[in-house]
Amino acid sequence: MNYFNNDIRELFINHYVIYVYLSCLGTLQVVSAISNLRGIMLLSNRKINVVLGCFFIVAGFIFFFVSPLFLSSQWVGSEVQKATLQNFASLRNVNDIDGGLHGTAQFLLFFLCCILSFLTSITLSAILMITDKNLSKFEKNDKKYKGIFRMKRKNYFSSLRINIKNRNFDEH
Amino acid sequence: MNIDEKITIFINNLNGRNIFLDSFFQIFASDYLIPVICALSIFSLWFLALDSKRLLNNQKVVFYSISSILTTNILVWIINILISRNRPFISNPEEINLMFYAPTDPSFPANPVAIAFAVAASIILANKYLGYSVLLISIIFAFSRIYVGVFYFVDVLVAAVLGLIVALLVRKIFRTKIMNNLVMKQIKILRLFSLA
């Protein structure tokens, strides 16, 4: 491995993290909207939330596979002007010994991005639920949900507080 | 030349005729597309909470899938030590047109294909629609790996069978009382944190 490969790997990791983070965030939004978990949803409207989720997923994929074409980097240099569809398709086919990512690194970064996307979702959703008057009322009058299902009516932090207070983790 | 090489060369020689097909399979064969889709499918199952029974089943399948991936990786690693088969572009440089980076690890069996099939087989148990979708893209992934010239047909076929068998075995092991209790304990701990 030389310095050139390390430079590529660093850039590769940055792009991969953005790609996976957006994809995880998008997936989380789509799934939370399907499951009606309002404590994770970024928007109160389920249909718009699904569209937003799909947008994040597509944006992540496009960003990762297209971005090298727009970079005046060692990958493409001045050749960017002459880039073809073939270049676009093959730019991300980089071996892990030549600057790509090894399977273990991919797994660890993916896991990190899952956690980050979840934290982003629950935090923004909690802010939305607290500031939205309709959703705040909605939060108070529900006791039948437990575990993750509490997020159908409450934000994650309220749900966590109640779960720990009751230590009720046997049944939904 | 054996039949495996003939099939591999036939599939590989389909490339170079259509730029859109070539580009499609180059992207599909990427290390960063199908593995990410498989991982996203597992991630989505964890939060797919339509009712409590299905949620519990989905979350158990997440454990099966992760265990299947680990087991498949270990098995492929052992087989790679025992059988060191060269890549098709090394053994048949005249006939194979490489459209991918040149991997340095052994060809048999195809590790990423085995993992994709193991994930697909695990997910089918919880969600047929999602599982069959992952299975379909795994088949295209397997084909694309031969198309770009990095695996033989048999590498991919054996990997697919290996992935499916591992997923079924892991499921069977996880259905034993000890393993089921172990998974349930972890789910209950996560439930305390509103994560399950």
Side-chain angles (χ1 to χ4, degrees):
Chain A
M1 197 196 313
N2 55 35
Y3 288 112
F4 176 71
N5 285 352
N6 278 337
D7 291 342
I8 293 178
R9 184 168 287 113
E10 203 178 314
L11 193 58
F12 209 99
I13 289 172
N14 293 340
H15 288 177
Y16 184 77
V17 166
I18 294 168
Y19 157 54
V20 174
Y21 173 76
L22 284 173
S23 305
C24 286
L25 191 62
T27 304
L28 203 50
Q29 290 314 307
V30 171
V31 174
S32 62
I34 292 169
S35 309
N36 198 19
L37 296 172
R38 289 183 185 272
I40 303 177
M41 284 159 65
L42 291 180
L43 300 169
S44 51
N45 186 309
R46 287 171 69 182
K47 282 181 183 168
I48 300 174
N49 213 62
V50 170
V51 174
L52 180 74
C54 292
F55 170 76
F56 281 140
I57 295 169
V58 173
F61 280 87
I62 291 175
F63 169 78
F64 184 73
F65 286 99
V66 177
S67 57
L69 288 182
F70 300 101
L71 282 172
S72 184
S73 68
Q74 287 144 316
W75 267 323
V76 284
S78 59
E79 295 297 306
V80 72
Q81 300 298 328
K82 293 180 253 170
T84 64
L85 185 65
Q86 204 82 35
N87 297 132
F88 156 70
S90 61
L91 271 169
R92 288 304 187 181
N93 291 337
V94 184
N95 199 349
D96 54 9
I97 55 168
D98 295 322
L101 286 174
H102 189 260
T104 314
Q106 280 190 55
F107 168 76
L108 291 173
L109 289 172
F110 186 89
F111 187 67
L112 178 76
C113 289
C114 285
I115 294 170
L116 280 177
S117 64
F118 180 72
L119 290 175
T120 310
S121 297
I122 56 168
T123 309
L124 292 177
S125 178
I127 294 167
L128 177 84
M129 288 180 95
I130 291 164
T131 52
D132 192 320
K133 285 178 185 173
N134 294 329
L135 287 175
S136 302
K137 279 181 202 166
F138 200 43
E139 237 192 86
K140 285 170 192 168
N141 55 12
D142 207 287
K143 289 177 182 173
K144 65 176 179 176
Y145 295 108
K146 285 167 187 169
I148 200 170
F149 287 103
R150 256 202 191 105
M151 282 197 278
K152 281 183 185 280
R153 294 290 180 267
K154 293 184 181 298
N155 69 56
Y156 176 77
F157 302 100
S158 305
S159 172
L160 181 67
R161 197 185 64 229
I162 296 165
N163 270 358
I164 291 176
K165 197 174 159 187
N166 298 342
R167 283 184 177 73
N168 187 350
F169 51 95
D170 277 340
E171 273 303 316
H172 282 300
Chain B
M1 195 180 286
N2 59 36
I3 189 136
D4 175 30
E5 287 178 320
K6 280 182 185 169
I7 295 172
T8 305
I9 290 165
F10 172 75
I11 295 171
N12 178 256
N13 286 354
L14 295 173
N15 75 31
R17 296 178 190 187
N18 185 310
I19 191 170
F20 289 101
L21 268 184
D22 289 353
S23 304
F24 174 80
F25 285 119
Q26 274 184 309
I27 292 174
F28 243 84
S30 167
D31 291 336
Y32 308 98
L33 182 66
I34 305 305
V36 169
I37 292 175
C38 288
L40 287 175
S41 305
I42 297 171
F43 181 58
S44 68
L45 269 188
W46 188 269
F47 293 97
L48 205 56
L50 295 170
D51 58 63
S52 56
K53 199 179 167 188
R54 271 191 278 183
L55 176 73
L56 185 62
N57 190 34
N58 287 349
Q59 294 183 340
K60 280 182 178 176
V61 165
V62 171
F63 282 95
Y64 301 165
S65 306
I66 296 168
S67 307
S68 299
I69 292 172
L70 289 173
T71 314
T72 309
N73 259 322
I74 293 167
L75 284 176
V76 170
W77 178 67
I78 292 167
I79 296 170
N80 278 174
I81 292 169
L82 299 173
I83 307 164
S84 185
R85 189 186 197 190
N86 279 336
R87 296 275 178 169
F89 60 88
I90 295 172
S91 303
N92 304 76
E94 300 290 313
E95 294 93 349
I96 295 290
N97 175 27
L98 184 66
M99 295 183 71
F100 203 70
Y101 67 77
T104 49
D105 52 336
S107 183
F108 182 86
N111 191 14
V113 175
I115 289 168
F117 274 83
V119 171
S122 304
I123 293 175
I124 285 171
L125 305 170
N127 188 318
K128 286 200 163 41
Y129 179 73
L130 184 63
Y132 283 118
S133 305
V134 176
L135 187 65
L136 178 70
I137 59 163
S138 300
I139 292 168
I140 303 172
F141 182 50
F143 181 83
S144 65
R145 286 271 170 162
I146 306 171
Y147 187 92
V148 297
V150 287
F151 284 117
Y152 284 107
F153 176 71
V154 164
D155 303 341
V156 159
L157 189 69
V158 170
V161 173
L162 181 74
L164 295 173
I165 291 171
V166 167
L168 293 174
L169 281 178
V170 165
R171 187 200 181 200
K172 212 155 197 177
I173 292 166
F174 269 80
R175 280 192 155 186
T176 57
K177 205 175 175 184
I178 301 167
M179 290 307 286
N180 191 46
N181 287 343
L182 201 70
V183 170
M184 282 309 297
K185 268 185 187 169
Q186 292 176 60
I187 290 177
K188 281 177 183 176
I189 292 167
L190 290 167
R191 206 172 276 167
L192 178 66
F193 296 99
S194 283
L195 293 170

